[in-house]
């Protein structure tokens, strides 16, 4: 959802498109043995390849594991290096959450303890899916 509509907010729509491409790239490579750094690298690569890398990735925000609680380890970054991070196993449930900002990556957390906004009040985008790692790959369970 782009506030004001994509036809009125071209940059916002482009950010949503890039974030969704990054999310899909990360999901496409999931299987047992993939590391959280591999996921982050896949997301980062899509963002950097977008028309001159004009969008930014805030490093303090990202995806996470899901178990008895909604936000658990491991942290699933939106940047990384192949071969680094926690190894995913069959049965793991994670949220992959590409988050992009238009300008600054400096963030402020609001008093509700949950909401983040960019310090410069610029545009930001957040897309997400919850995924279970299966023996043959992964299944999106947030779309069920």
């Amino acid at each position: 959802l782009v506030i004001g509509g994509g036809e009125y907010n071209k940059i916002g729509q482009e950010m949503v498109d890039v974030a969704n491409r990054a999310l899909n790239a990360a999901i496409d490579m999931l299987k047992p043995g993939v590391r959280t750094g591999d996921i982050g690298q896949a997301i980062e690569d899509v963002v950097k390849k977008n028309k001159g890398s004009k969008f930014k990735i805030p490093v303090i925000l990202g995806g996470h594991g899901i178990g008895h609680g909604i936000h658990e380890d491991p942290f699933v970054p939106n940047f990384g290096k192949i071969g680094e991070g926690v190894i995913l196993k069959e049965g793991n449930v994670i949220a992959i959450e590409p988050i992009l900002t238009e300008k600054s990556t400096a963030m402020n957390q609001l008093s509700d303890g949950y909401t983040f906004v960019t310090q410069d009040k610029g545009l930001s985008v957040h897309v997400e899916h919850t995924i279970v790692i299966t023996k043959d790959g992964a299944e999106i369970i947030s779309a069920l």
Side-chain angles (χ1 to χ4, degrees):
L1 169 67
V2 176
I3 296 177
E7 65 276 6
Y8 298 109
N9 190 335
K10 301 268 189 223
I11 293 173
Q13 186 61 59
E14 184 181 354
M15 289 176 73
V16 169
D17 293 345
V18 171
N20 277 315
R21 284 198 311 270
L23 176 62
N24 291 329
I27 292 169
D28 288 347
M29 48 87 65
L30 291 176
K31 62 184 178 185
V34 166
R35 293 178 176 264
T36 54
D38 304 344
I39 297 167
Q41 182 71 59
I43 292 168
E44 186 177 12
D45 284 350
V46 170
V47 175
K48 284 184 173 180
K49 288 178 183 172
N50 178 66
K51 297 182 184 177
S53 309
K54 64 182 171 186
F55 302 134
K56 312 286 190 289
I57 299 171
V59 298
I60 65 167
L61 300 173
H64 50 85
I66 298 175
H68 295 288
I70 191 70
H71 294 107
E72 294 187 358
D73 288 335
F75 178 66
V76 182
N78 294 318
F79 59 92
K81 292 185 180 175
I82 292 174
E84 293 185 355
V86 174
I87 299 171
L88 299 178
K89 299 177 180 135
E90 181 181 351
N92 287 151
V93 179
I94 59 171
I96 299 179
E97 305 184 39
I99 300 166
L100 307 179
T101 59
E102 180 186 13
K103 299 173 187 168
S104 174
T105 60
M107 308 297 286
N108 288 331
Q109 188 173 21
L110 300 184
S111 61
D112 66 6
Y114 188 76
T115 306
F116 284 86
V117 297
T118 58
Q119 284 183 3
D120 67 0
K121 307 292 192 267
L123 292 176
S124 62
V125 166
H126 170 203
V127 298
E128 176 176 353
H129 265 308
T130 303
I131 315 288
V132 63
I133 306 302
T134 66
K135 68 177 180 141
D136 299 319
E139 181 178 351
I140 299 171
I141 58 176
S142 54
L144 298 177

